[in-house]
Structure formats: structure tokens, C-alpha cells
Amino acid sequence: MEITRLIEQCRQGDADALGELYKAYAQRMRGVCRRYISDEQTVDDVLHDAFVIIFTSLDRLKEPSKVESWMMSITRNVASKYKDHLDSLPFVPLEKANSLAAPDNETNVRGVPLEDVLRMVERLPEGYGQVFRLSVFDGLSHKEIATMLGIEPHSSSSQLARAKKMLRKSLARYWMLWLLPLLLPVAFYLYKSNNRAETGLPIATKHAGRPAIKKPSSPNESATPQIAIVPILGQTTDSVIPVDTLLLPIERDEHTDTMHVVRPLPDILHNTDIQTAETSDTLPDINDITPMKKKSPLSTMLTYAGVPSNGTSVIDNFLTVVDYASGVQTRSMRIYNWGEYMDYVNNYASAMDSVDAMNMRRIAIANVEHPDAPLSERKHHESPRTFELSLSYPLSRRWNVTSGLSYTRMKSTFESDDGNMLTRRTQKLYYVGLPLKLRYTLLEKNRWQLYASGGIGLDIPVRGKETTQYLYIGPYQPERGDSLILPTTHAQVKVPWQWSVNAGAGVQYQLLPHVNAYFEPRLQYYIPTGSPVETYRTEHPFDLSLPFGIRFTW
């Protein structure tokens, strides 16, 4: 009777009754856990999980007198499940654990980042999401989930299946959003190809309103054959009745799409619907038939762009340093003599990297006797290196539009010295560009093509870093603590987006039926950004580059 009353109070949510139930059976349930698990801390965790299930499932206990065996069964199932989970994990000796790398698939699911998958799970309906987390994340069986949530096992299985189906749809939509920019050009190309396939071919037919060709009454009398040439612009095959079709036995090669007769037909008679011409019985000479080569609608270009020079070098009569007073750590402050250098070090040493502060203070002390001596800095900007992958689409016979992605690397070196120590800063900037250009074909002859182009570009900075080295170029004093091994410091460099406009002319030569080599000298103007970061483009806003590459058509 006592256990029945205790269970009834627990069902009503009495916290004291739940505590009494835990105290009464915790030790015996702990013994059950120890049969499967040897680690005491893990035993406590498993016992806690078992009692959570017990407390949330008391409504399903039909006979309170058998509560002990019921609780032991639940505890045994939880402990056994945990032991099976531990046995499935690989065993690695502790001395080798540090050398193991986490597998790549722990951070993504089918190529989708794990954090995005978790957000998809959070958007599931409450019941589906709860069952999915208990089954997939916690590894519980449907029977255990049913016991915990107060539902039937088959209901848990059904909700898990529906949750997985909804997640598969979410994953498909996720990839669709990423692939949409790539699929749209393909869909547009297929649409245009389908329209071209529906366009009618030129045919010769007899007009319904004119009498048929009269047969000769005698063998000596010859008949004059007539053909009707039907305009095909905007006409589809469904709107033409092909009767008495005249076929010319002219061979076509693999590069020939359509053919037309360049010799004018004699005595053309105009009509509102057709044009009729009297021709001779002889077929036109094959040399008078000019094949029109098939135009490839799309082309892909791989480009390398450089500049004629190896870079540019300049010597300034000042030293550029970080302006800590502005709150933004950019090299926008200029100092002109060693007195200003000493004041700068004294004011901002606490904000600097410890290595920079130590070496700059050492340089300042070495030149404290010459406060008015001028400073100088040598800077060398290497020529930018750009690689571009782009796609071109024809707007008309002569006009093409081109866009794609480019990758640009720029490197600059800044050096200053006081006769004893050389300070060398190496700055590297990396950009991803989005070009947009129009190309106009000026001339086509045989395998050669001459064209002009112009457009705009946007370079987006993806990484910028600065490395500072301190090198002895004069005597050093070991007794003062000087060492030939001086640490190198690193800092980030932030630059704004860079807009540009360009114009150029190019020549293309066909190497193979679908492979062309091209060379396209281009003049570019980089719009000033106002950034204090010095680069090749700040020294040369107008830049002549010499892109060359390969163009593939299909």
C-alpha cells in the first residue's frame, strides 16, 4: 500500500515523492548499471538518464506493486544501450590520440555544413523534430522514445520517417539555391537551342495558286522548271505544306550547317506570298555554294593577365606607420625625422606587438642623437598577377557579353634602415573579381578574328596580410642582448572593394575546330578608393595589361 501511494503522488508531480522514490531505489539501480559499465562517472550519467525516463513514464506503469522490476528493466535497457554504443567506438591508445585528425565528414552532412543541417532540424514540426533528435542524435530506439514521450512505437517510427523526408526536401532546396546561378545559363541555352530547332528549313514548293508545270507535248519541246523560294524568317515547319520538294544533291561536311546559292536567279517574278524564278536545268556550280559555318553559342575562356613591366619602385622622404590614435589600425600616419620616430614609439609602444615595440625602441635609441635627421622608405610594387575564368554568350552575330570570376594577387615590399638594422615589410593582397564586358567583332577572315572590347570590373578583397622582418645590416652587441635571430611579426591588412573600367582590342586564332588562342591588350582605370594602403594600383591607376589565353567553344 505504501508503494502504491508513493507512485500515485509521483504521478501527480509531487517533488518530495519523486525524491523518496529516487532514494529508495537509486542504490539498487546503480548496481544494475555497474554490471554493464565500470566507470563510476559514466554510471552516474546513465543512472540519471534512466531516472529521467522513469519519472516521465510513470503514467504508463499499470501495476505499481511491480515498480521495482519495471525500473530495473528500464535501467538495464539504458545501460545496455550505452555499453553497445561504447563497444562500437574505435579504441585508440592515449599516446596516439594527439596525432589523430577529426574526419572531414563530422562538419558536414552530404556536403552541407552541420550548422545549416541543425537549423533545418529546428524548423521541423515540434513532434517530428523531437523524435528525430532522440533517434538520430541520442541514439534511442523507437520503444524508448515511445516510453519517454508517451506515444506508441509505430507512431515514433512514422514521425521519424516523415522528418527524414522533410529534411531531404530541405537539403534539395539548399543545393538548388547554390546551383541556381549555374543552372540558369544552361536552361537559357537549352531554351534557345529548342527555338532554333523549331525554325523551318528552306524548302522549294509549288504555289497553290499557280498552274502546275506543263509537260512538253513533244520530245523536242522542253519544259521550263519553276521553283518557289519560301522565306523562312519567323516561319516554323508546322506552317509550311511541303509538296513537290526539290532537293539538290550537294554534299555537306561536318562543319556545314546551311547552304545558300550566291549566284542570282534570273527573271524573278514577285508575288505577295512567294518569289518564282525560271532556272535552267543545270544545277549550280559547287564553287558557287558558300557554306555558313555553325556558330557556337557559348565559349569559355581561361586567361592570364599581366603587365609589361616587372613592377615599380619609389623612394619616399617619410616613413609610413600605423595610426593608433585614430582607433583604426591602418598605415595612414607619416613621420619625417628621428625625433618624430622617438615620440611615436614612446606614445604607442603599449599598443604595438611586443616584438615591434622592442625593435622600434632599439632603432630609436640608436638614432636619438640625430633628431632632425630625415627618414626615408623604399617601396617596390610587383606587377599584379590575374587569372580569369569567364563565359561568353552571343547577343547577335557581332556582339558578345562576357562575365565570370578572376583571381588577383598583389605584392609590395617596403624597406627602411638606420645603418644598423633593416626593417622590411612585405604586403600581400588577394582579390576575387567579377568582370563584365561587351565584345564587338570587327573582322573575320579564315581562322583569324579581330575584335574590340570594353566593360567594368569589381575586385573584392578576400585576404590581406603584412609580414614585418628586422634584419641586422651593421654591428650588433651581444652584451646588450642583441641576437641575430629576430622574430617576424604578422598583421592583417584591410582594403575596400576596387571598381575599374577597361577597354581594349584583341585578336583570335583558331587552333582546332573548338579551340582558339587569343591575345587582348587592355587599358584599365582603377577608380581611387581613398584607402591609405599603398599598392601597385594606387601608383598606377591607369594600367596597360596584356591578357592572353585559350577560348573553348561548344
Side-chain angles (χ1 to χ4, degrees), residues 119-126 128-129 132 162-163 166-167:
R119 281 195 290 267
M120 296 177 190
V121 175
E122 291 296 330
R123 288 194 291 267
L124 290 173
E126 183 177 357
Y128 294 171
F132 183 87
R162 294 176 183 175
M166 296 178 69
L167 279 178

Side-chain angles (χ1 to χ4, degrees), residues 21 47 52 262 285 308 346 514:
L21 184 64
L47 180 64
V52 169
V262 297
D285 189 357
N346 290 336
H514 299 286

Side-chain angles (χ1 to χ4, degrees), residues 258-333:
T258 60
M259 296 180 293
H260 65 279
V261 180
V262 297
R263 187 175 64 187
L265 295 175
D267 301 332
I268 296 179
L269 302 178
H270 294 279
N271 188 275
T272 57
D273 298 326
I274 57 173
Q275 295 178 357
T276 312
E278 295 183 358
T279 65
S280 64
D281 294 336
T282 59
L283 294 174
D285 189 357
I286 191 67
N287 295 325
D288 291 337
I289 299 177
T290 303
M292 296 180 64
K293 293 187 177 180
K294 185 176 181 180
K295 293 293 183 181
S296 299
L298 295 175
S299 59
T300 301
M301 291 156 283
L302 299 175
T303 310
Y304 169 77
V307 294
S309 66
N310 292 325
T312 179
S313 297
V314 180
I315 299 179
D316 290 329
N317 60 345
F318 55 81
L319 190 65
T320 305
V321 293
V322 177
D323 186 6
Y324 293 100
S326 65
V328 181
Q329 295 189 9
T330 57
R331 289 188 174 271
S332 57
M333 179 183 291

